[in-house]
């Protein structure tokens, strides 16, 4: 399978970078752990947002208005992950006792849930932690058919067989950990040995196996829930290769992140800024691209590409912070005139005035923010200002009236430089907000 081959190649590349600097590895694993906690629980219906999950794990901030059960699920899952990560270092073998201990950590304590009797009457069902199921947990499919897992009577023997299969596979000379981990996940789900928490337990066990062999954990994202369940259903229909390939595809993504982190490169993903904004919001509540020719001289096609690409990146990055402030403004300056715009008008404005931009060969973007919500500060002001000039052989960027960068007219170089600038400005903005929040937190403690 192509994805498995790619994952193994990336694993070899990762091994050449080991040992990874301890601080870099800690940052990488924290990202994996936070994503893993949020997505694995959200797949099963947990209502905490990513920001609420991160605030709970990193700062102990409990989400207001959310069920206590959802908070306990996150804290239990995080404890289980940390326990497993420590056990990987100690090379503890995978056994039935290990699995039952993991389930106990995950669900913390026994509880009751609403259920339906075989004759359709409402009842209560007790969920026991750390012990195999005491009653059937078959499910009804969309078509009305019953999908059968192992019965309570069959479960002990099937779990015994599963661990025997696992031990035999891992002792093989040319063991492929990806195949073993993915198939273990599927076999475990087919047994469904516990009254609750089977999906979360299966994903932790799969990652335990992968991490024992030096791989990073696989994160099944909640946005990809339909594909994840579709792959499981294909395995139910006899096509387990589809599920294994799905796991390998997601493992490739984790390997790419870990390799980037090991090299000291950014490990941020496309949705990480949204997550960070959600976290900042949670902490506050607690008190268009085009193909262009690669030319080294100025031309209208390049300026058009650059202006619209920069505007989109600049606006989208800053717009995400709007909800944290009482006031915000976005303006474009052409010549001596300043035009205040918003998400509806700025692209239309650029289209209408592009000829003037091309003629003047310069323009200014500024996004300003005033007064953070909730903090009740007299003044908290932040701005990002970019001044652009198109010169004969390069474009010049002046950032916040101080930093000047010169970039040749090459798409890859300009894109990378703009992305770097925006990431640095986003980081500067987040640090500004965190500083203001920390100041208030210290003030409240006095």
């Amino acid at each position: 399978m192509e994805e498995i081959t790619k994952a193994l190649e990336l694993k070899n590349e990762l091994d050449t970078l080991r040992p990874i600097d301890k601080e870099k590895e800690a940052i990488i694993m924290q990202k994996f752990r936070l994503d893993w906690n949020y997505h694995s629980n959200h797949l099963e219906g947990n209502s905490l947002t990513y920001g609420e999950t991160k605030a709970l794990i990193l700062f102990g901030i409990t989400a207001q208005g959310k069920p206590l059960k959802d908070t306990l699920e996150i804290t239990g899952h995080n404890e289980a992950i940390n326990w497993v990560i420590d056990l990987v270092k100690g090379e503890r073998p995978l056994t039935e006792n290990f699995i039952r201990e993991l389930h106990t950590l995950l669900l913390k304590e026994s509880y009751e849930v609403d259920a339906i009797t075989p004759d359709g009457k409402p009842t209560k069902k007790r969920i026991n932690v750390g012990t195999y199921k005491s009653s059937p947990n078959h499910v009804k499919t969309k078509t009305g058919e019953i999908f059968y897992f192992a019965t309570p009577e069959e479960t002990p023997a099937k779990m015994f067989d599963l661990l025997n299969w696992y031990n035999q596979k891992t002792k093989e000379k040319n063991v492929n950990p990806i195949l073993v981990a993915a198939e273990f996940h599927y076999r475990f789900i087919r047994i469904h040995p516990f009254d609750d928490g089977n999906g979360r337990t299966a994903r932790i066990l799969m990652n335990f196996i992968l991490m024992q062999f030096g791989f990073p954990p696989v994160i099944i994202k909640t946005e990809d829930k339909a594909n994840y369940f579709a792959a499981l259903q294909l395995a139910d229909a006899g096509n387990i290769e589809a599920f294994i390939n799905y796991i390998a595809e997601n493992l490739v993504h984790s390997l790419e992140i870990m390799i980037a982190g090991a090299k000291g490169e950014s490990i941020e993903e496309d949705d990480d800024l949204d997550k960070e904004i959600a976290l900042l919001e949670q902490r506050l509540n607690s008190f268009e691209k085009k193909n262009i020719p690669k030319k080294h001289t100025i031309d209208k096609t390049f300026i058009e590409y650059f202006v619209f690409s920069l505007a989109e990146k600049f606006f989208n990055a800053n717009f995400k912070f709007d909800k944290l402030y009482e006031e915000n403004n976005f303006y474009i300056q052409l010549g001596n005139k300043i035009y205040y715009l918003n998400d509806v008008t700025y692209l239309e404005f650029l289209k209408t005035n592009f000829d003037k931009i091309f003629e003047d060969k310069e323009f200014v973007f500024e996004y300003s923010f005033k007064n953070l919500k909730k903090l009740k500060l007299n003044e908290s002001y932040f701005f990002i200002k970019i001044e652009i000039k198109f010169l004969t052989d390069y474009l010049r960027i002046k950032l916040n009236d101080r930093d000047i960068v010169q970039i040749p007219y090459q798409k890859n170089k300009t894109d990378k430089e703009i992305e770097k600038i925006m990431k640095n400005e986003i980081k500067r903005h987040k640090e500004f907000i965190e500083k203001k929040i920390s100041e208030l937190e210290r003030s409240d403690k006095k």
Side-chain angles (χ1 to χ4, degrees), residues 221-232:
K221 293 194 173 183
T222 187
E223 297 86 1
D224 205 40
K225 181 177 181 178
N227 290 328
Y228 173 54
F229 287 147
L232 281 169

Side-chain angles (χ1 to χ4, degrees), residues 321-368:
F321 288 91
D322 281 1
K323 59 185 175 181
L324 304 183
Y325 288 87
E326 298 289 349
E327 298 178 29
N328 52 76
N329 287 295
F330 172 50
Y331 77 75
I332 298 175
Q333 181 178 338
L334 296 180
N336 295 321
K337 290 187 177 181
I338 293 177
Y339 304 87
Y340 288 91
L341 305 169
N342 56 44
D343 60 331
V344 177
T345 62
Y346 83 94
L347 285 176
E348 191 60 39
F349 174 85
L350 289 174
K351 291 176 185 176
T352 304
N353 292 275
F354 176 71
D355 286 341
K356 179 169 177 55
I357 293 173
F358 181 66
E359 180 183 342
D360 292 350
K361 301 294 188 291
E362 63 180 312
F363 62 95
V364 176
F365 287 163
E366 180 170 325
Y367 216 117
S368 61

Side-chain angles (χ1 to χ4, degrees), residues 94-96 99 159-167 184:
L94 181 55
T95 64
E96 287 190 71
I99 294 172
M159 287 298 294
F160 179 82
D161 291 342
L162 174 60
L163 270 298
N164 275 345
W165 170 86
Y166 168 77
N167 288 324
F184 187 97

Side-chain angles (χ1 to χ4, degrees), residues 164-175:
N164 275 345
W165 170 86
Y166 168 77
N167 288 324
Q168 290 172 8
K169 283 291 182 182
T170 52
K171 289 175 184 175
E172 291 178 0
K173 186 176 181 181
N174 297 316
V175 58

